[in-house]
């Protein structure tokens, strides 16, 4: 965004009340302290799971003992330094025995490698005093596998006797431990690189055969603090009550020594006690109270890394109250909308791939979804229309100058520069036709929505049209004779990846827009020769990703759990197949020689998905009639595209699966919304709505939100409620013409 428009944007923010305009304006005016900076230091601050810390491991042998549950360290919820919890380490060191307890770095997608600082810090608390000689040893590792591997470049340190750094540990008092990283020597066959620390392992020291307990909290790497400047108190704290939670918003100026905000709560007139923290750069907090009719009051402070706190903010209070179904839908849409509003890249306005994550990375497809979410945000009065126009203008400014490859944007870009970021490897350094189609779906919907008489909107209409006209869809056919579109092209590698687009999956919108293009169209016949191809290659392709023959000819025709599936591979695949192409494109409008209605086909895919979850053939915890929707999401071991079949079901419960299916299954989706929010909200509800996924079997909660998963909740709920995004996208004249051409191609297919 140009500086000349920044002031206008801030002024617009300050007059908008639904999102707390003053708080948002302060966010833009304050020095930008990024979450990415926070996670360049912090290894552990809190556990999202309440029983054990997922990123931990504990083991004992002989007569030694270490407290553990299912091999993980327990979470301590009564005594903590950074509320609301810490890690409990209880041990007994016996002769001829051993124990170890590993705490690994919080792991999330696109966490940038490396930590910054010369010292390792953590806080400890002992209920009973522990002599320095009786403290355990400490080993550091640059592998998340701790001491078990020594594969290059992983290494581990020589053991440090912790008592050297703690001295005698007093009872019932928090002390901060400081270990200079210069003290650490390698015990591995490779040099130990402390900046790439991945885990800490506490291990048996002197075998005194006594039971000891330490509470461990806030593990981080940093330099010695250089600033002792007093922190100013946050101001203008206000609270809003919802069905089961209260949302806090505040204004703040963020000096460089700010480490966190600390949230204090009083219930029913009781004392104020700390209940949570918020990282710099985010000026909201979601306090999940678990029931309606609860009155609570709040104060917050700003704290530095030494836990020196500012004066308290003003006091604010609210009550939870039972919400109607309609109010719950608005609440959910508004919460997820924040991801694309507050969480967007500040320079480009584009959506980040995941939050937290590498803040340089903006995602093309997720940004298209975010643009459709922006439409909903304006129409629901979460923001003013002028704010929506300003944000979309910023996005268009960025896209006009970002790297393009025959008019096609790459999958990931640097939000500051617009240059391609080859996240998936060296071949991924060019255009991504599928992600571009997701982006263009959003832009075309916005072109029709923001089509008023205001000069800014008229300019947007013209500029989006120019972006649309300059996408060379036909280039990605590879040759004029090709039956298929191809996913990628790079100036360096050309069509090296050579991934043909073959349905049924999430890429239908790519063929529809390619056929609809007014300047670089492909023949409508490619819908049948490419997307729904009957070729041997297409059959093998479908069998390859699904692991089964059902639906390998695009049409299926089988019945699963009593539900007939016209089109789809196996049991229908992940539910995002029914979302990504149909956030703007209305499936009511599409039929072909394989099915009379893609809306009904999508509904049946959702119903089969739910029926599979109810049957739960792999006996995962948490599945049921109100916990269903297998789709792609974050998982305990990374990104996973779950589907309702034995091979692809890993036990994740992913909210976007059921909630983005609202147009297809409104009653079942509402039941899921209530269960996820009311039943699982104490673990899952946060500043951008529901977290990406939960896996009750693995005792894991995703630490991130994903750009591909929050917007489908916003947009598809709105399509269920009003059809808003469907109506705007379908009003594009190029889409009307494309459907006529597709009907002609379908007739041609039926001719003998």
């Amino acid at each position: 965004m140009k500086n000349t428009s920044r002031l206008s944007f801030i002024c617009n923010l300050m007059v908008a009340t639904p999102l707390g305009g003053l708080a948002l304006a302060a966010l833009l005016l304050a020095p930008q302290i990024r979450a990415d900076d926070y996670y360049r230091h912090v290894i552990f601050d809190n556990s999202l799971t309440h029983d054990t810390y997922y990123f931990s491991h504990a083991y004992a042998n002989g007569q030694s003992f270490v407290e553990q549950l299912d091999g993980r360290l327990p979470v301590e919820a009564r005594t903590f330094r950074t509320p609301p919890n810490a890690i409990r380490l209880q041990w007994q060191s016996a002769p001829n025995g051993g124990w170890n307890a590993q705490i690994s770095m919080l792991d999330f997608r696109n966490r940038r490698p490396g930590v910054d600082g010369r010292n390792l810090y953590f806080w400890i608390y002992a209920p009973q005093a522990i002599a320095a000689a009786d403290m355990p040893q400490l080993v550091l590792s640059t592998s998340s596998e701790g001491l078990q591997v020594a594969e290059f470049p992983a290494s581990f340190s020589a053991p440090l006797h912790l008592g050297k750094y703690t001295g005698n540990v007093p009872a019932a008092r928090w002390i901060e431990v400081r270990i200079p990283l210069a003290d650490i020597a390698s015990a591995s066959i490779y040099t130990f690189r402390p900046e790439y620390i991945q885990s800490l392992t506490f291990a048996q020291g002197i075998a005194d055969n006594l039971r000891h307990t330490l509470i461990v909290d806030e593990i981080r790497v940093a330099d010695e603090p250089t600033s002792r400047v007093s922190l100013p108190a946050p101001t203008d704290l206000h609270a809003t009550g919802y069905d089961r939670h209260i949302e806090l918003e505040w204004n703040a100026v963020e000096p460089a020594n700010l480490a966190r905000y600390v949230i204090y709560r009083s219930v029913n007139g009781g004392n104020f006690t700390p209940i949570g923290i918020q990282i710099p750069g985010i000026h909201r907090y979601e306090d999940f109270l678990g029931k309606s009719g609860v009155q609570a009051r709040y104060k917050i402070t700003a704290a530095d890394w030494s836990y020196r706190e500012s004066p308290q903010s003003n006091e604010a209070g609210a009550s939870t109250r039972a919400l109607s179904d309609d109010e719950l839908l608005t609440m959910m849409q508004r919460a997820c909308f924040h991801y694309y509003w507050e969480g967007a890249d500040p320079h480009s306005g584009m959506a980040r791939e995941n939050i937290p994550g590498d803040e340089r990375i903006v995602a093309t497809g997720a940004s298209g979804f975010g643009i459709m979410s922006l439409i909903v945000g304006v129409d629901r009065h979460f923001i003013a229309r002028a704010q929506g126009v300003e944000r979309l203008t910023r996005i268009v400014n960025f896209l006009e100058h970002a790297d393009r490859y025959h008019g096609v944007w790459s999958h990931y870009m640097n939000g500051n520069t617009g240059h391609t970021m080859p996240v998936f490897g060296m071949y991924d350094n060019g255009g991504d036709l599928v992600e571009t189609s997701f982006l263009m779906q959003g832009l075309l919907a916005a072109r029709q929505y923001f089509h008023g008489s205001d000069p800014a909107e008229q300019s947007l209409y013209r500029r989006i049209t120019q972006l649309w006209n300059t996408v060379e869809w036909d280039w990605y056919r590879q040759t004029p004779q090709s039956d298929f579109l191809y996913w990628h092209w790079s100036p360096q590698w050309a069509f090296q990846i050579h991934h043909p687009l073959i349905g049924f999956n999430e890429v239908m919108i790519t063929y529809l827009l390619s056929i609809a293009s007014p300047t670089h169209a492909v023949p409508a016949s490619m819908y049948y020769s490419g997307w729904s191809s009957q070729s041997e290659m297409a059959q093998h392709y479908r069998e390859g990703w699904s692991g089964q023959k059902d639906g390998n000819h695009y049409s299926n025709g089988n019945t699963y759990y009593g539900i007939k599936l016209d089109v789809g591979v196996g049991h229908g695949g992940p539910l995002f197949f029914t979302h990504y192409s149909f956030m703007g494109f209305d499936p009511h409008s599409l039929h072909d020689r394989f099915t009379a209605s893609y809306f009904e086909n999508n509904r049946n895919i959702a119903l089969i998905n739910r029926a599979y979850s109810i049957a739960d053939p792999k006996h995962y915890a948490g599945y049921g009639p109100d916990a269903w929707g297998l789709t792609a999401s974050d998982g305990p071991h990374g990104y996973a595209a779950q589907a309702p079949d034995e091979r692809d079901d890993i036990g994740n419960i992913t909210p976007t699966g059921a909630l983005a299916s609202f147009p297809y299954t409104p009653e079942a989706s509402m039941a899921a919304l209530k269960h996820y929010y009311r039943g699982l909200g104490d673990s899952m509800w946060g500043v951008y709505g529901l977290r990406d996924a939960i896996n009750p079997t693995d005792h894991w909660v995703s630490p991130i939100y994903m750009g591909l998963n929050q917007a489908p909740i916003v947009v598809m709920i709105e399509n269920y409620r009003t059809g808003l995004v469907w109506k705007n996208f379908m009003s594009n004249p190029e889409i009307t013409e494309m459907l006529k051409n597709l009907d002609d191609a379908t007739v041609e297919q039926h001719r003998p």
Side-chain angles (χ1 to χ4, degrees):
M1 177 185 294
K2 296 180 180 178
N3 291 334
T4 54
S5 60
R6 182 175 177 82
L7 181 59
S8 171
F9 181 51
I10 292 171
C11 291
N12 284 331
L13 285 177
M14 295 178 71
V15 299
T17 56
L19 280 183
L22 291 174
L24 287 174
L27 177 64
L28 290 177
L29 289 166
Q32 291 298 307
I33 298 178
R34 303 180 304 156
D36 201 16
D37 296 331
Y38 181 84
Y39 291 109
R40 297 289 290 179
H41 297 285
V42 172
I43 295 172
F44 168 84
D45 56 8
N46 280 303
S47 173
L48 290 172
T49 46
H50 306 311
D51 49 0
T52 62
Y53 184 53
Y54 180 80
F55 302 103
S56 70
H57 174 79
Y59 174 78
N61 64 82
Q63 296 301 308
S64 293
F65 164 83
V66 63
E67 184 183 11
Q68 53 85 24
L69 177 64
D70 295 329
R72 296 191 179 104
L73 290 169
V75 170
E76 169 61 46
R78 292 172 297 180
T79 304
F80 43 75
R81 191 59 171 150
T82 54
N85 56 45
I87 295 174
R88 186 168 66 249
L89 174 61
Q90 187 174 105
W91 76 89
Q92 185 166 333
S93 298
N96 301 315
W99 64 268
N100 62 76
Q102 176 183 310
I103 301 172
S104 296
M105 179 178 286
L106 173 64
D107 185 32
F108 51 83
R109 295 183 67 216
N110 298 313
R111 177 165 184 163
R112 296 176 71 176
V115 289
D116 294 335
R118 292 188 288 266
N119 302 305
L120 172 68
Y121 295 94
F122 52 90
W123 292 83
I124 58 173
Y125 177 99
Q128 287 83 38
I130 305 174
D134 295 334
M135 291 291 284
Q137 297 185 90
L138 179 66
V139 177
L140 309 181
S141 173
T142 58
S143 168
S144 59
E145 298 295 325
L147 315 184
Q148 299 178 41
V149 297
E151 296 179 359
F152 182 80
S155 61
F156 50 86
S157 73
L160 298 169
H161 192 273
L162 198 53
K164 172 184 175 182
Y165 300 94
T166 63
N168 295 325
V169 179
R173 182 162 67 87
W174 282 103
I175 63 171
E176 187 176 32
V177 181
R178 171 185 169 273
I179 300 175
L181 295 179
D183 289 3
I184 298 171
S186 179
S188 173
I189 61 175
Y190 301 113
T191 301
F192 181 77
R193 301 278 302 276
E195 66 269 30
Y196 293 116
I197 182 173
Q198 289 288 312
S199 63
L200 300 81
T201 298
F202 298 91
Q204 176 159 320
I206 292 175
D208 61 359
N209 218 21
L210 297 174
R211 191 66 59 97
H212 300 289
T213 301
L214 278 180
I215 311 301
V216 182
D217 206 353
E218 198 192 52
I219 304 169
R220 63 189 176 93
V221 172
D223 291 331
E224 294 278 3
T226 57
S227 175
R228 298 280 175 174
V229 176
S230 297
L231 293 168
T235 61
D236 195 28
L237 176 68
H238 57 282
T240 305
Y242 290 93
D243 189 88
R244 295 291 191 271
H245 78 280
I246 292 175
E247 180 177 78
L248 305 178
E249 296 180 87
W250 62 90
N251 292 344
V253 176
E254 300 194 331
N257 60 330
L258 175 67
R260 66 187 72 79
Y261 299 100
V262 184
I263 318 300
Y264 291 86
R265 179 182 68 200
S266 166
V267 178
N268 298 326
N271 293 331
F272 281 88
T273 58
I275 60 163
I277 62 172
Q278 187 56 279
I279 67 175
I282 299 178
H283 300 156
R284 287 190 301 113
Y285 182 83
E286 310 291 309
D287 183 22
F288 193 85
L289 294 159
K291 58 183 178 180
S292 59
V294 179
Q295 293 184 336
R297 301 200 64 77
Y298 300 88
K299 299 176 182 179
I300 64 172
T301 63
D304 65 16
W305 289 112
S306 297
Y307 247 94
R308 291 184 296 268
E309 295 187 38
S310 73
Q312 293 184 330
S313 70
N314 62 292
E315 187 176 317
S319 300
T320 56
R321 63 180 182 87
L323 299 185
S324 67
D325 286 0
D326 202 53
E327 289 173 315
L328 283 171
L329 291 174
T330 301
M331 177 199 76
M332 184 65 67
Q333 289 178 289
R334 178 181 179 273
C336 296
F337 168 78
H338 277 294
Y339 184 101
Y340 306 91
W341 186 249
E342 293 178 10
D345 175 74
H347 173 76
S348 65
M350 298 275 282
R352 290 180 167 129
E353 167 70 356
N354 52 274
I355 302 176
D358 186 331
E359 294 192 344
R360 298 172 301 168
I361 301 174
V362 296
T364 299
S367 295
F369 295 174
I371 290 168
M372 289 183 272
S373 181
L374 189 70
I375 295 170
V376 177
V378 170
D379 216 67
R380 287 275 161 197
H381 306 293
F382 300 155
I383 57 172
R385 187 178 183 94
Q387 291 174 262
V389 170
E390 187 72 38
R391 175 61 60 86
L392 185 57
T393 300
R394 191 190 318 187
I395 292 170
V396 169
N397 287 345
F398 175 81
L399 292 173
E400 287 175 337
H401 297 94
D403 291 344
R404 297 177 78 184
Y405 306 89
H406 289 276
V408 171
W409 292 274
S410 51
H411 192 142
Y412 298 115
M413 292 176 279
N414 185 307
N416 283 317
T417 66
H419 294 323
T420 294
M421 296 190 74
V423 174
F424 293 138
M426 68 180 184
Y427 296 140
D428 184 37
N429 66 347
D432 186 309
L433 193 66
V434 173
E435 295 295 312
T436 294
S437 66
F438 296 155
L439 173 64
M440 192 52 64
Q441 184 178 201
L443 286 170
L444 288 175
R447 183 179 74 161
Q448 298 304 105
Y449 183 83
F450 295 107
H451 195 189
S453 59
D454 180 78
E457 293 193 25
Q458 292 178 347
S459 175
L460 272 178
Y461 188 94
R462 291 191 299 270
R463 294 167 71 190
I464 291 173
T465 300
Q466 177 64 14
L467 291 175
W468 163 230
N469 288 343
T470 51
V471 177
E472 297 179 30
W473 306 91
D474 51 350
W475 176 267
Y476 286 75
R477 193 177 176 182
Q478 186 171 357
T479 69
Q481 295 76 37
S482 172
D483 288 334
F484 301 97
L485 291 169
Y486 287 86
W487 203 308
H488 306 91
W489 180 83
S490 154
Q492 182 179 5
W493 306 106
F495 290 98
Q496 174 89 17
I497 296 178
H498 208 254
H499 188 153
L501 303 186
I502 298 171
F504 181 80
N505 48 38
E506 77 275 24
V507 306
M508 176 184 273
I509 191 66
T510 311
Y511 275 93
L512 297 180
L513 290 176
S514 297
I515 297 166
S517 171
T519 54
H520 295 279
V522 302
S525 60
M526 287 189 69
Y527 181 92
Y528 289 100
S529 71
W531 165 250
S532 59
S533 173
Q534 303 298 297
S535 70
E536 185 177 355
M537 183 187 79
Q539 294 175 48
H540 289 317
Y541 176 89
R542 297 183 185 108
E543 291 174 23
W545 68 256
S546 70
Q548 51 193 303
K549 291 184 178 295
D550 286 7
N552 66 353
H553 283 75
Y554 187 80
S555 63
N556 188 305
N558 293 303
T559 297
Y560 307 97
Y561 302 101
I563 303 158
K564 187 174 183 291
L565 182 60
D566 288 346
V567 169
V569 178
H571 288 57
L575 274 180
F576 71 87
F577 289 2
T578 69
H579 303 152
Y580 291 2
S581 285
F582 302 104
M583 292 170 64
F585 187 87
D586 184 352
H588 290 94
S589 302
L590 185 64
H591 59 88
D592 57 24
R593 71 181 187 86
F594 305 105
T595 183
S597 168
Y598 273 93
F599 180 85
E600 292 301 324
N601 193 73
N602 287 351
R603 184 204 300 275
N604 288 342
I605 289 175
L607 291 172
I608 291 167
N609 195 297
R610 179 173 181 264
Y612 173 92
S613 298
I614 295 170
D616 190 13
K618 298 181 75 171
H619 308 292
Y620 285 123
Y623 283 21
D626 56 359
W628 58 279
L630 279 68
T631 191
S633 68
D634 190 27
H637 307 290
Y639 183 78
Q642 279 202 131
D645 57 66
E646 293 281 330
R647 188 186 72 171
D648 298 308
D649 176 14
I650 64 170
N652 278 2
I653 297 172
T654 304
T656 195
L659 302 189
S661 297
F662 249 100
Y664 311 126
T665 55
E667 294 84 6
S669 294
M670 180 59 77
L673 184 155
K674 291 176 179 177
H675 174 62
Y676 296 153
Y677 172 67
R678 292 172 175 168
L680 303 178
D682 62 335
S683 294
M684 295 195 75
W685 189 261
V687 291
Y688 303 124
L690 292 165
R691 292 183 177 274
D692 202 53
I694 187 171
N695 193 309
T697 302
D698 274 0
H699 301 277
W700 171 87
V701 176
S702 174
I704 68 168
Y705 307 84
M706 279 187 59
L708 286 173
N709 283 349
Q710 299 305 98
I713 296 173
V714 180
V715 174
M716 294 301 270
I717 286 178
E718 193 60 37
N719 281 332
Y720 158 68
R721 298 176 83 178
T722 66
L724 173 72
V725 184
W726 281 345
K727 290 173 185 175
N728 279 280
F729 179 83
M730 299 305 291
S731 69
N732 283 282
E734 299 94 328
I735 302 304
T736 303
E737 184 65 22
M738 178 271 294
L739 288 173
K740 292 178 182 176
N741 292 336
L742 199 55
D743 281 343
D744 291 342
T746 300
V747 170
E748 187 67 27
Q749 280 286 313
H750 279 292
R751 287 178 179 167

